[in-house]
Amino acid sequence: MTEPTINEIREARSRIGQHVHRTPVLTCRTLDRVCDAEVFFKCENFQKVGAFKTRGATNAVFSLGEDEVKRGVATHSSGNHAAAVALAARRRGVPAYIVMPETVPRVKVDAVRGYGAEIVFCEPTLKAREKGLAGVVNRTGAMFIHPYNDYRVIAGQGTAALEFCEEVSDLDVVMAPVGGGGLLSGTAIAVAAVSPGTRVIAAEPEGADDAYRSFRSGVLVPSRDPRTIADGLLTSLGDLTFPIIKRLVNDIVTVGDEEIVAAMRMIWERMKIIVEPSAAVPLAALQTRRGVVKERRIGIILTGGNVDLGNLPWNS
Amino acid sequence: MTEPTINEIREARSRIGQHVHRTPVLTCRTLDRVCDAEVFFKCENFQKVGAFKTRGATNAVFSLGEDEVKRGVATHSSGNHAAAVALAARRRGVPAYIVMPETVPRVKVDAVRGYGAEIVFCEPTLKAREKGLAGVVNRTGAMFIHPYNDYRVIAGQGTAALEFCEEVSDLDVVMAPVGGGGLLSGTAIAVAAVSPGTRVIAAEPEGADDAYRSFRSGVLVPSRDPRTIADGLLTSLGDLTFPIIKRLVNDIVTVGDEEIVAAMRMIWERMKIIVEPSAAVPLAALQTRRGVVKERRIGIILTGGNVDLGNLPWNS
């Protein structure tokens, strides 16, 4: 399999079309004023399972042949990818096995269980996840669907930016958060192809800045002990996502957790929509004009809306 | 001035069109499953100032003649009507004076201040509000814009249901919460005219059930010491709203605060949108099928989304 192009992203859109929402693009005059820009929000928090991850997982699960998929699919994930794989498997009619850290918010565990997946809990480390996953795959023969380091997943995630650029023309910049880089690399491929004048800027929490450091140094630097409120962005770039990001992304900037929480709260208060901390990272960067200096028409992908409502960051 | 008809509601729409949003109608398959119905949500939480109140206040302020309005407008309100009057006054270019109980959530006070209104705080009783208002009107000569017992306000609130019925055909029922009855009476007039086969059902908190008792007895019964989490519904019906409600509303049902909070949380978790407790009252009734037994196509007006995010009902 080779690096996806806009063709694979278009194919992904056809493949997943009946299984995912075409999410709305919202605007908010107050936020425009605060950011001194025209800001367009692609609302993947309204996507099925509450996050863009449904796009990539659905594309991956439905790309598999009958023989490959019949014993099910498996993954490890801090939450949204897990729910996305579980839903895609249910729609394909095959079992899903999900390895999850014990520390995941209850709402995410409930969502995955609700889609009928079998959950295997593990310690909240990458090593424990990988060991748990290997055990599941050996036991069941399920196909592993990686959360981001998978070309089919990358192509699926790129469908959000494809829709975004088709709906809103002449964006100066598209901003997305970066964790493992699946969304960012798919976004960069889509934007470069359908809106070549648009820059792609990624935003990352300071406490999990492996993508920032990798991008600046040109060498893949894994996360070491990442800490951030943006729990969807703890993962490190992969060897499939990093080359795409290095080639096609214009800049990666970092923001602090306080700025992330403030941006998240502003979206809740002013737009009356629920986004998770990871989704607020680009707005936090835009508010301080990091990576985006003079640009006026800004597209932000709001990546997800799954939060534990009993444990909000401004109540702790 | 006589009771508004659909003509006054259509005029209101023309008058306020450039000042308010045509709000979207959202659906959610999970909530359809939970309610065993097709449920359509008219999202007035996305309205300017975060509530339907903008419609009525804007219609009232822009209905006034130049001479009537030049010394400004005044009102007493627990929050959303206050912000709505403040915004309408700013757009008309006249001062606004708002009498507010000291107990109002900070986020609502900030919103009203943000629109440039002068705030006069009072004790959280109707008597104190009315006294405060009389003082302001005497001092300034401002015109009083009543929160609901005003035909221009009623006509303005009716524009939400007019849009709703135009966008979603063949609704079996339209549901709205009831406090003072401005929204409910405007809704009932609009629905009776443009979708006569559609029933109108109001939902009210058990702890503030004056509309329920008035509707059942046929005699206007004021609230006595109302207590409910739905702080937008503490007011009593007025002598202008009650006759319309008595004639055109099909039923009024009540729900408990626990049911309201559960319905509110379900909207937040499943739809990823922010609504205030008052807005969740109809869904709480629908979930227990109170007033709505066999009907399938249900329209619910989500009245507002202004909550104090630092003080959510499930964290207390």
Side-chain angles (χ1 to χ4, degrees):
Chain A
M1 205 171 204
T2 56
E3 222 174 70
T5 68
I6 189 66
N7 295 328
E8 279 72 41
I9 294 174
R10 292 192 194 281
E11 282 169 23
R13 174 158 66 173
S14 302
R15 187 177 292 120
I16 71 179
Q18 63 175 300
H19 302 294
V20 307
H21 292 309
R22 186 180 174 109
T23 52
V25 174
L26 298 185
T27 59
C28 173
R29 288 195 205 165
T30 303
L31 289 184
D32 282 358
R33 206 163 50 236
V34 168
C35 297
D36 190 25
E38 280 181 272
V39 192
F40 301 86
F41 295 92
K42 175 72 170 166
C43 289
E44 290 295 302
N45 55 328
F46 294 159
Q47 186 51 268
K48 282 186 183 290
V49 319
F52 75 91
K53 295 275 187 181
T54 306
R55 297 175 181 269
T58 304
N59 190 48
V61 169
F62 280 83
S63 293
L64 294 170
E66 281 298 334
D67 270 4
E68 290 176 298
V69 82
K70 68 184 177 196
R71 283 184 290 185
V73 291
T75 198
H76 59 85
S77 160
S78 63
N80 288 333
H81 177 65
V85 167
L87 176 61
R90 192 173 73 178
R91 287 192 159 252
R92 185 88 200 253
V94 299
Y97 308 95
I98 311 291
V99 179
M100 283 185 132
E102 310 151 335
T103 48
V104 157
R106 183 192 58 76
V107 65
K108 295 191 177 184
V109 177
D110 289 351
V112 172
R113 281 226 179 86
Y115 297 123
E118 182 181 312
I119 298 178
V120 180
F121 285 104
C122 69
E123 301 276 307
T125 66
L126 185 60
K127 204 168 170 184
R129 284 190 195 196
E130 286 174 348
K131 195 177 154 196
L133 180 74
V136 166
V137 167
N138 283 340
R139 171 164 67 84
T140 62
M143 286 290 288
F144 172 41
I145 309 287
H146 193 282
Y148 52 87
N149 208 40
D150 177 316
Y151 286 142
R152 297 161 304 194
V153 171
I154 292 169
Q157 316 303 30
T159 60
L162 178 59
E163 289 175 8
F164 203 0
C165 290
E166 283 176 355
E167 186 160 342
V168 186
S169 60
D170 299 323
L171 287 171
D172 294 319
V173 179
V174 168
M175 301 184 79
V178 56
L183 176 68
L184 180 58
S185 53
T187 298
I189 294 167
V191 171
V194 301
S195 186
T198 303
R199 297 171 73 220
V200 174
I201 310 283
E204 193 176 37
E206 282 168 8
D209 66 346
D210 65 290
Y212 171 83
R213 288 183 290 119
S214 301
F215 188 78
R216 296 285 147 134
S217 67
V219 180
L220 189 56
V221 186
S223 273
R224 283 167 311 188
D225 191 24
R227 282 164 206 262
T228 170
I229 187 80
D231 63 347
L233 305 178
L234 294 168
T235 45
S236 303
L237 292 182
D239 62 348
L240 300 186
T241 57
F242 182 50
I244 301 170
I245 289 167
K246 202 154 59 165
R247 197 173 70 248
L248 295 177
V249 171
N250 295 88
D251 201 1
I252 299 181
V253 297
T254 62
V255 291
D257 273 16
E258 274 186 36
E259 295 166 311
I260 295 169
V261 171
M264 174 178 164
R265 186 161 185 163
M266 183 167 284
I267 292 169
W268 286 45
E269 284 189 348
R270 293 304 179 156
M271 298 183 70
K272 310 298 180 192
I273 63 175
I274 290 176
V275 295
E276 57 194 65
S278 305
V281 173
L283 181 65
L286 177 59
Q287 281 192 266
T288 49
R289 286 274 166 187
R290 251 164 284 176
V292 187
V293 181
K294 291 174 303 189
E295 290 87 347
R296 289 290 310 166
R297 281 171 71 83
I298 314 289
I300 287 179
I301 302 178
L302 291 178
T303 46
N306 292 318
V307 289
D308 187 343
L309 293 176
N311 183 24
L312 295 172
W314 42 78
N315 287 325
S316 60
Chain B
M1 205 173 205
T2 57
E3 223 176 68
T5 68
I6 189 67
N7 296 329
E8 279 72 42
I9 295 175
R10 291 192 195 282
E11 282 169 23
R13 175 159 65 173
S14 303
R15 187 177 292 119
I16 70 178
Q18 62 174 302
H19 302 293
V20 307
H21 292 309
R22 186 181 173 108
T23 52
V25 174
L26 298 186
T27 61
C28 172
R29 289 196 203 165
T30 303
L31 289 183
D32 282 358
R33 207 162 49 235
V34 168
C35 297
D36 190 26
E38 279 180 272
V39 191
F40 301 86
F41 295 93
K42 175 72 169 166
C43 290
E44 291 294 302
N45 55 327
F46 294 159
Q47 187 52 266
K48 283 183 183 291
V49 319
F52 75 91
K53 295 274 187 181
T54 306
R55 296 174 182 270
T58 305
N59 191 48
V61 170
F62 279 84
S63 294
L64 294 170
E66 282 298 332
D67 270 4
E68 290 176 297
V69 82
K70 68 184 177 194
R71 282 183 291 183
V73 292
T75 196
H76 59 84
S77 160
S78 64
N80 288 334
H81 177 66
V85 168
L87 176 61
R90 193 173 69 177
R91 286 190 161 253
R92 187 88 198 253
V94 299
Y97 307 94
I98 311 291
V99 179
M100 283 185 132
E102 311 150 336
T103 49
V104 157
R106 183 193 57 76
V107 64
K108 295 191 178 184
V109 177
D110 288 352
V112 172
R113 283 228 177 85
Y115 297 124
E118 182 181 313
I119 298 178
V120 179
F121 286 104
C122 69
E123 300 278 306
T125 66
L126 184 59
K127 204 169 169 182
R129 286 189 195 195
E130 286 172 348
K131 195 178 154 197
L133 181 73
V136 166
V137 167
N138 283 339
R139 171 164 65 85
T140 63
M143 286 290 288
F144 172 41
I145 310 288
H146 194 280
Y148 51 87
N149 209 39
D150 178 315
Y151 286 142
R152 298 160 302 192
V153 171
I154 292 169
Q157 317 302 30
T159 60
L162 178 59
E163 290 175 8
F164 203 1
C165 291
E166 284 176 354
E167 184 161 343
V168 185
S169 60
D170 298 324
L171 286 171
D172 295 318
V173 180
V174 167
M175 302 184 79
V178 57
L183 176 69
L184 181 58
S185 54
T187 298
I189 295 166
V191 171
V194 301
S195 185
T198 303
R199 298 171 72 222
V200 174
I201 310 283
E204 191 176 38
E206 282 168 9
D209 67 345
D210 65 290
Y212 170 83
R213 287 183 292 119
S214 301
F215 188 78
R216 297 285 147 136
S217 67
V219 180
L220 189 56
V221 186
S223 273
R224 283 167 310 189
D225 190 24
R227 282 164 205 261
T228 170
I229 186 80
D231 62 347
L233 305 177
L234 295 168
T235 44
S236 302
L237 293 182
D239 63 348
L240 300 186
T241 57
F242 182 50
I244 301 170
I245 289 167
K246 201 155 61 164
R247 197 173 71 247
L248 294 177
V249 171
N250 295 89
D251 202 1
I252 298 181
V253 298
T254 62
V255 292
D257 273 15
E258 275 187 33
E259 296 166 310
I260 295 168
V261 172
M264 174 179 164
R265 187 162 184 162
M266 184 167 284
I267 292 169
W268 287 45
E269 285 189 347
R270 294 304 180 155
M271 297 183 70
K272 309 296 180 193
I273 62 175
I274 290 176
V275 296
E276 57 194 64
S278 305
V281 173
L283 181 65
L286 177 59
Q287 280 193 266
T288 49
R289 286 273 164 187
R290 251 165 283 176
V292 186
V293 181
K294 291 173 305 190
E295 290 87 347
R296 290 288 310 165
R297 281 171 73 81
I298 315 291
I300 288 180
I301 301 178
L302 292 179
T303 45
N306 292 319
V307 290
D308 187 342
L309 293 175
N311 183 24
L312 295 172
W314 43 78
N315 287 325
S316 60

